[in-house]
């Protein structure tokens, strides 16, 4: 196993995660199997309890792990599926060590940060690095480890010390450290200044880690460019020598596909606008995966995505009285959008505005996709306005409603008594052939997507909806949980209880999102008629095969 530790200097939020994922992508394109571990030095056990305003979206993994959104970058760039243990936090490490201490594993010794916490970090990394993440289920050969925060942070210190020790254990040809730093260019002089980086490298050296590479990447038009820029700076040759890798110096077809994708991204002429009607619109990271899924789909059909964030509270009647300019601006944006998306969310604030947007999409026949809460609200809207159940609601928002169309349906969760959310990958079975989503998913009998919810459509009432044209075309394997809705006689009115955005990939856009973009650009029926093939003039069908010949290490390597 080869380990690449990526640390950050000067400030956080300069794209360390993108650089780390891009390094992984390059090595994967050389035929190596790559995995990734993200270390977040905060005390929280996981990201599940964060408000989206704290760290952006909570990313959900197949195994139900609620993790930092950087794991989404690794999954998308490397086209792999990670596990909750690929995200290490201080909380998890301490919990692990404290459990062992209570269990008597330390035989009466004083349990300390060094060596017990630092040992636990190293063991965790070594064990997790071996876990297969690819479809072929083989052990990875390269593990990219991203240390969150910047060098010098107090809470990051035990991790830095763990890797200082680890570099000797792993041996030089199996471990390297890349430091991602900021080189400011103050407007006053226009000159690049390296002093902050010099200081941060000095701090890193003082802690016993010497960066092998300090990477500078200028701002680029799209993140797809980053692997290309790194490759152009000779990084393949560098890794080949430094880590003694059995690879060619030349990038493979996979990297060429990334290049084509980056080029195509810069040349998009046609625009498709999507209104994202949500609550956390001040911080675009709160909907990071939704944005990516829309972008993957737009790119697949050769369109530039114009994503308009609309704060749903601004669509509400009460806003008209309070601030009519805001109200009318929000409605103006909604009306001019080619498609409407209502994403997942929690809590009542803004739900009335979302219902207004859904009503608009339904009655004006605007392409609409509702995700999780977005689907639940589409059901509420339909109940109120088509079934005339005026007080219909989700019991999340009105526990006493006479028409509880969305209710709390806890899932029996044997392993985890505390967990009340239905989390992670679950199967959805299509109930009919007559479903646009089924066609978009390649006419599969079932799909497996990730979930994160507590409430669900009330299965007792579904027949009332179906009679009026709102069909529940996908259920869980027991037929009790409604997973997909589709409205008849509408160009695209689809709701999904799962979060398909988490499994969208740059070269494999998520089908429900692709459907929205196709409908919003008026090309959905042609696409379906062609048997779900993108028209050659309009797509990058040449990009979908991303296999690169596999490379094996000569002998089973150390550590
Ligand atoms: N609040 C809703 C629920 O718990 C929707 C959750 C979501 O959109 N992720 O079911």
């Amino acid at each position: 196993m080869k380990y690449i530790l990526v640390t950050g200097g000067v400030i956080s939020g300069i794209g360390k995660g993108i650089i780390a994922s891009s390094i992984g992508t390059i090595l994967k394109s050389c035929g190596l199997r790559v995995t990734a571990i993200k270390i977040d030095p905060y005390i929280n056990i996981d990201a599940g309890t964060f408000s989206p305003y704290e760290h952006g979206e909570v990313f959900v993994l197949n195994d139900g792990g609620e993790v930092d959104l950087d794991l989404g970058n690794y999954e998308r760039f490397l086209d792999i599926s990670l596990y909750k243990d690929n995200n290490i936090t201080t909380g998890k490490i301490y919990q692990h060590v404290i459990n062992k201490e209570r269990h008597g594993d330390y035989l009466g010794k004083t349990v300390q940060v060094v060596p017990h916490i630092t040992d636990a970090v190293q063991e965790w990394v070594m064990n997790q690095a071996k876990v297969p993440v690819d479809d072929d289920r083989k052990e990875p050969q390269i593990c990219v480890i991203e240390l969150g925060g910047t060098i010098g942070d107090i809470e990051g210190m035990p991790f830095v010390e763990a890797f200082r020790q680890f570099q000797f254990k792993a041996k030089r040809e199996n471990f390297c450290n890349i430091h991602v730093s900021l080189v400011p260019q103050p407007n006053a002089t226009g000159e690049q200044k390296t002093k902050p980086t010099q200081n941060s490298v000095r701090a890193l050296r003082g802690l016993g880690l010497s960066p092998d590479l300090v990477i500078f990447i200028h701002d680029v038009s799209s993140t797809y460019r980053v692997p290309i820029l790194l490759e152009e700076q000779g990084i393949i040759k560098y890794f080949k020598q430094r880590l003694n890798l059995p690879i060619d110096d030349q990038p493979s077809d996979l990297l060429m596909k990334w290049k084509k994708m980056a080029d195509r991204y810069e040349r998009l002429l046609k625009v498709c606008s999507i209104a994202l009607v949500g609550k956390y619109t001040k911080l675009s990271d709160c909907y990071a995966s939704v944005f990516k899924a829309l972008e993957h789909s737009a790119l697949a059909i050769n369109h530039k995505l114009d994503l308009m964030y609309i704060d749903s509270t601004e669509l509400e009647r009460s806003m008209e009285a309070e601030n009519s300019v805001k109200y009318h601006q929000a409605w103006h944006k909604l009306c001019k959008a080619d498609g409407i998306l209502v994403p997942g969310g929690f809590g009542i604030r803004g739900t009335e505005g979302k219902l207004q947007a859904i009503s608009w999409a339904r009655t004006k026949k605007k392409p609409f996709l509702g995700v999780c809460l977005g689907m639940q609200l589409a059901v509420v809207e339909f109940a109120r306005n088509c079934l005339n159940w005026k007080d219909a609601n989700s019991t999340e928002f009105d526990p006493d409603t006479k028409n509880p169309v969305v209710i709390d349906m806890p899932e029996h969760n044997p392993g985890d008594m505390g967990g009340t959310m239905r989390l992670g990958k679950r199967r959805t079975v299509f109930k009919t052939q007559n479903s646009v989503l089924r066609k978009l998913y390649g006419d599969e009998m079932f799909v497996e997507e990730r979930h994160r919810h507590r409430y669900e459509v009330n299965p007792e009432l579904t027949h009332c909806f179906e009679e009026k044209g709102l069909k529940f075309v996908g259920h869980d394997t027991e037929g009790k949980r409604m997973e997909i809705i589709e409205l008849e006689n509408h160009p695209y009115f689809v709701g999904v209880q799962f979060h398909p955005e988490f499994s969208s990939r740059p070269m494999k856009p998520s089908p429900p999102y692709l459907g929205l973009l196709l409908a919003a650009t008026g090309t959905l029926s042609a696409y379906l008629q062609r048997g779900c093939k993108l028209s050659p003039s309009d797509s990058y069908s040449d990009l979908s095969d991303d296999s690169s010949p596999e490379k094996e290490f000569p002998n089973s390597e150390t550590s």
Side-chain angles (χ1 to χ4, degrees), residues 187-199:
N187 280 342
T189 59
E191 241 180 307
Q192 295 189 341
K193 294 292 185 188
T194 60
K195 186 64 75 195
T197 297
Q198 293 176 39
N199 287 336

mmCIF file with all atom_site columns, all heavy atoms in Angstrom, residues 187-199:
data_model
loop_
_atom_site.group_PDB
_atom_site.id
_atom_site.type_symbol
_atom_site.label_atom_id
_atom_site.label_alt_id
_atom_site.label_comp_id
_atom_site.label_asym_id
_atom_site.label_entity_id
_atom_site.label_seq_id
_atom_site.pdbx_PDB_ins_code
_atom_site.Cartn_x
_atom_site.Cartn_y
_atom_site.Cartn_z
_atom_site.occupancy
_atom_site.B_iso_or_equiv
_atom_site.pdbx_formal_charge
_atom_site.auth_seq_id
_atom_site.auth_comp_id
_atom_site.auth_asym_id
_atom_site.auth_atom_id
_atom_site.pdbx_PDB_model_num
ATOM 1  N N   . ASN A 1 187 ? -3.509 42.789 -4.761 1.00 0.00 ? 187 ASN A N   1
ATOM 2  C CA  . ASN A 1 187 ? -3.810 43.702 -5.867 1.00 0.00 ? 187 ASN A CA  1
ATOM 3  C C   . ASN A 1 187 ? -2.826 44.845 -5.973 1.00 0.00 ? 187 ASN A C   1
ATOM 4  O O   . ASN A 1 187 ? -2.460 45.282 -7.060 1.00 0.00 ? 187 ASN A O   1
ATOM 5  C CB  . ASN A 1 187 ? -5.216 44.294 -5.696 1.00 0.00 ? 187 ASN A CB  1
ATOM 6  C CG  . ASN A 1 187 ? -6.254 43.305 -6.167 1.00 0.00 ? 187 ASN A CG  1
ATOM 7  O OD1 . ASN A 1 187 ? -5.919 42.373 -6.895 1.00 0.00 ? 187 ASN A OD1 1
ATOM 8  N ND2 . ASN A 1 187 ? -7.500 43.498 -5.734 1.00 0.00 ? 187 ASN A ND2 1
ATOM 9  N N   . ALA A 1 188 ? -2.358 45.347 -4.823 1.00 0.00 ? 188 ALA A N   1
ATOM 10 C CA  . ALA A 1 188 ? -1.516 46.537 -4.803 1.00 0.00 ? 188 ALA A CA  1
ATOM 11 C C   . ALA A 1 188 ? -0.271 46.362 -5.665 1.00 0.00 ? 188 ALA A C   1
ATOM 12 O O   . ALA A 1 188 ? 0.116  47.278 -6.395 1.00 0.00 ? 188 ALA A O   1
ATOM 13 C CB  . ALA A 1 188 ? -1.122 46.854 -3.368 1.00 0.00 ? 188 ALA A CB  1
ATOM 14 N N   . THR A 1 189 ? 0.361  45.178 -5.599 1.00 0.00 ? 189 THR A N   1
ATOM 15 C CA  . THR A 1 189 ? 1.596  44.987 -6.371 1.00 0.00 ? 189 THR A CA  1
ATOM 16 C C   . THR A 1 189 ? 1.413  44.010 -7.526 1.00 0.00 ? 189 THR A C   1
ATOM 17 O O   . THR A 1 189 ? 2.204  44.023 -8.469 1.00 0.00 ? 189 THR A O   1
ATOM 18 C CB  . THR A 1 189 ? 2.706  44.431 -5.467 1.00 0.00 ? 189 THR A CB  1
ATOM 19 O OG1 . THR A 1 189 ? 2.228  43.191 -4.928 1.00 0.00 ? 189 THR A OG1 1
ATOM 20 C CG2 . THR A 1 189 ? 3.065  45.379 -4.347 1.00 0.00 ? 189 THR A CG2 1
ATOM 21 N N   . GLY A 1 190 ? 0.414  43.156 -7.436 1.00 0.00 ? 190 GLY A N   1
ATOM 22 C CA  . GLY A 1 190 ? 0.210  42.143 -8.474 1.00 0.00 ? 190 GLY A CA  1
ATOM 23 C C   . GLY A 1 190 ? 1.239  41.034 -8.414 1.00 0.00 ? 190 GLY A C   1
ATOM 24 O O   . GLY A 1 190 ? 1.314  40.184 -9.284 1.00 0.00 ? 190 GLY A O   1
ATOM 25 N N   . GLU A 1 191 ? 2.065  41.059 -7.379 1.00 0.00 ? 191 GLU A N   1
ATOM 26 C CA  . GLU A 1 191 ? 3.138  40.068 -7.257 1.00 0.00 ? 191 GLU A CA  1
ATOM 27 C C   . GLU A 1 191 ? 2.669  38.873 -6.436 1.00 0.00 ? 191 GLU A C   1
ATOM 28 O O   . GLU A 1 191 ? 1.931  39.045 -5.469 1.00 0.00 ? 191 GLU A O   1
ATOM 29 C CB  . GLU A 1 191 ? 4.262  40.722 -6.449 1.00 0.00 ? 191 GLU A CB  1
ATOM 30 C CG  . GLU A 1 191 ? 5.561  40.857 -7.161 1.00 0.00 ? 191 GLU A CG  1
ATOM 31 C CD  . GLU A 1 191 ? 6.560  41.521 -6.209 1.00 0.00 ? 191 GLU A CD  1
ATOM 32 O OE1 . GLU A 1 191 ? 6.261  42.601 -5.653 1.00 0.00 ? 191 GLU A OE1 1
ATOM 33 O OE2 . GLU A 1 191 ? 7.608  40.930 -5.992 1.00 0.00 ? 191 GLU A OE2 1
ATOM 34 N N   . GLN A 1 192 ? 3.149  37.695 -6.774 1.00 0.00 ? 192 GLN A N   1
ATOM 35 C CA  . GLN A 1 192 ? 2.818  36.533 -5.958 1.00 0.00 ? 192 GLN A CA  1
ATOM 36 C C   . GLN A 1 192 ? 3.690  36.521 -4.716 1.00 0.00 ? 192 GLN A C   1
ATOM 37 O O   . GLN A 1 192 ? 4.888  36.772 -4.795 1.00 0.00 ? 192 GLN A O   1
ATOM 38 C CB  . GLN A 1 192 ? 3.065  35.255 -6.747 1.00 0.00 ? 192 GLN A CB  1
ATOM 39 C CG  . GLN A 1 192 ? 2.144  35.143 -7.941 1.00 0.00 ? 192 GLN A CG  1
ATOM 40 C CD  . GLN A 1 192 ? 2.227  33.790 -8.618 1.00 0.00 ? 192 GLN A CD  1
ATOM 41 O OE1 . GLN A 1 192 ? 3.193  33.054 -8.426 1.00 0.00 ? 192 GLN A OE1 1
ATOM 42 N NE2 . GLN A 1 192 ? 1.223  33.479 -9.414 1.00 0.00 ? 192 GLN A NE2 1
ATOM 43 N N   . LYS A 1 193 ? 3.088  36.223 -3.592 1.00 0.00 ? 193 LYS A N   1
ATOM 44 C CA  . LYS A 1 193 ? 3.818  36.245 -2.322 1.00 0.00 ? 193 LYS A CA  1
ATOM 45 C C   . LYS A 1 193 ? 3.889  34.852 -1.719 1.00 0.00 ? 193 LYS A C   1
ATOM 46 O O   . LYS A 1 193 ? 2.853  34.237 -1.449 1.00 0.00 ? 193 LYS A O   1
ATOM 47 C CB  . LYS A 1 193 ? 3.107  37.195 -1.336 1.00 0.00 ? 193 LYS A CB  1
ATOM 48 C CG  . LYS A 1 193 ? 3.162  38.651 -1.777 1.00 0.00 ? 193 LYS A CG  1
ATOM 49 C CD  . LYS A 1 193 ? 4.587  39.132 -1.684 1.00 0.00 ? 193 LYS A CD  1
ATOM 50 C CE  . LYS A 1 193 ? 4.703  40.612 -1.992 1.00 0.00 ? 193 LYS A CE  1
ATOM 51 N NZ  . LYS A 1 193 ? 6.106  41.023 -2.089 1.00 0.00 ? 193 LYS A NZ  1
ATOM 52 N N   . THR A 1 194 ? 5.106  34.376 -1.501 1.00 0.00 ? 194 THR A N   1
ATOM 53 C CA  . THR A 1 194 ? 5.246  33.002 -1.002 1.00 0.00 ? 194 THR A CA  1
ATOM 54 C C   . THR A 1 194 ? 5.480  32.931 0.509  1.00 0.00 ? 194 THR A C   1
ATOM 55 O O   . THR A 1 194 ? 5.572  31.841 1.064  1.00 0.00 ? 194 THR A O   1
ATOM 56 C CB  . THR A 1 194 ? 6.420  32.283 -1.700 1.00 0.00 ? 194 THR A CB  1
ATOM 57 O OG1 . THR A 1 194 ? 7.607  33.009 -1.434 1.00 0.00 ? 194 THR A OG1 1
ATOM 58 C CG2 . THR A 1 194 ? 6.196  32.179 -3.191 1.00 0.00 ? 194 THR A CG2 1
ATOM 59 N N   . LYS A 1 195 ? 5.580  34.077 1.157  1.00 0.00 ? 195 LYS A N   1
ATOM 60 C CA  . LYS A 1 195 ? 5.931  34.048 2.588  1.00 0.00 ? 195 LYS A CA  1
ATOM 61 C C   . LYS A 1 195 ? 4.961  33.222 3.445  1.00 0.00 ? 195 LYS A C   1
ATOM 62 O O   . LYS A 1 195 ? 5.412  32.397 4.259  1.00 0.00 ? 195 LYS A O   1
ATOM 63 C CB  . LYS A 1 195 ? 6.045  35.483 3.133  1.00 0.00 ? 195 LYS A CB  1
ATOM 64 C CG  . LYS A 1 195 ? 6.533  35.577 4.569  1.00 0.00 ? 195 LYS A CG  1
ATOM 65 C CD  . LYS A 1 195 ? 7.959  35.056 4.728  1.00 0.00 ? 195 LYS A CD  1
ATOM 66 C CE  . LYS A 1 195 ? 8.971  36.047 4.189  1.00 0.00 ? 195 LYS A CE  1
ATOM 67 N NZ  . LYS A 1 195 ? 10.291 35.451 3.994  1.00 0.00 ? 195 LYS A NZ  1
ATOM 68 N N   . PRO A 1 196 ? 3.636  33.384 3.282  1.00 0.00 ? 196 PRO A N   1
ATOM 69 C CA  . PRO A 1 196 ? 2.751  32.569 4.120  1.00 0.00 ? 196 PRO A CA  1
ATOM 70 C C   . PRO A 1 196 ? 3.015  31.066 3.931  1.00 0.00 ? 196 PRO A C   1
ATOM 71 O O   . PRO A 1 196 ? 3.012  30.301 4.894  1.00 0.00 ? 196 PRO A O   1
ATOM 72 C CB  . PRO A 1 196 ? 1.342  32.936 3.642  1.00 0.00 ? 196 PRO A CB  1
ATOM 73 C CG  . PRO A 1 196 ? 1.484  34.235 2.942  1.00 0.00 ? 196 PRO A CG  1
ATOM 74 C CD  . PRO A 1 196 ? 2.885  34.302 2.415  1.00 0.00 ? 196 PRO A CD  1
ATOM 75 N N   . THR A 1 197 ? 3.309  30.679 2.704  1.00 0.00 ? 197 THR A N   1
ATOM 76 C CA  . THR A 1 197 ? 3.579  29.264 2.438  1.00 0.00 ? 197 THR A CA  1
ATOM 77 C C   . THR A 1 197 ? 4.898  28.836 3.075  1.00 0.00 ? 197 THR A C   1
ATOM 78 O O   . THR A 1 197 ? 5.004  27.763 3.665  1.00 0.00 ? 197 THR A O   1
ATOM 79 C CB  . THR A 1 197 ? 3.592  29.012 0.924  1.00 0.00 ? 197 THR A CB  1
ATOM 80 O OG1 . THR A 1 197 ? 2.296  29.301 0.429  1.00 0.00 ? 197 THR A OG1 1
ATOM 81 C CG2 . THR A 1 197 ? 3.940  27.576 0.591  1.00 0.00 ? 197 THR A CG2 1
ATOM 82 N N   . GLN A 1 198 ? 5.906  29.725 2.977  1.00 0.00 ? 198 GLN A N   1
ATOM 83 C CA  . GLN A 1 198 ? 7.199  29.396 3.623  1.00 0.00 ? 198 GLN A CA  1
ATOM 84 C C   . GLN A 1 198 ? 6.972  29.132 5.105  1.00 0.00 ? 198 GLN A C   1
ATOM 85 O O   . GLN A 1 198 ? 7.505  28.176 5.670  1.00 0.00 ? 198 GLN A O   1
ATOM 86 C CB  . GLN A 1 198 ? 8.186  30.555 3.488  1.00 0.00 ? 198 GLN A CB  1
ATOM 87 C CG  . GLN A 1 198 ? 8.655  30.824 2.070  1.00 0.00 ? 198 GLN A CG  1
ATOM 88 C CD  . GLN A 1 198 ? 9.567  32.051 2.028  1.00 0.00 ? 198 GLN A CD  1
ATOM 89 O OE1 . GLN A 1 198 ? 10.370 32.256 2.922  1.00 0.00 ? 198 GLN A OE1 1
ATOM 90 N NE2 . GLN A 1 198 ? 9.428  32.867 0.998  1.00 0.00 ? 198 GLN A NE2 1
ATOM 91 N N   . ASN A 1 199 ? 6.164  29.995 5.732  1.00 0.00 ? 199 ASN A N   1
ATOM 92 C CA  . ASN A 1 199 ? 5.917  29.832 7.162  1.00 0.00 ? 199 ASN A CA  1
ATOM 93 C C   . ASN A 1 199 ? 5.213  28.527 7.457  1.00 0.00 ? 199 ASN A C   1
ATOM 94 O O   . ASN A 1 199 ? 5.534  27.842 8.426  1.00 0.00 ? 199 ASN A O   1
ATOM 95 C CB  . ASN A 1 199 ? 5.086  30.999 7.700  1.00 0.00 ? 199 ASN A CB  1
ATOM 96 C CG  . ASN A 1 199 ? 5.925  32.264 7.791  1.00 0.00 ? 199 ASN A CG  1
ATOM 97 O OD1 . ASN A 1 199 ? 7.158  32.197 7.888  1.00 0.00 ? 199 ASN A OD1 1
ATOM 98 N ND2 . ASN A 1 199 ? 5.272  33.418 7.738  1.00 0.00 ? 199 ASN A ND2 1
#
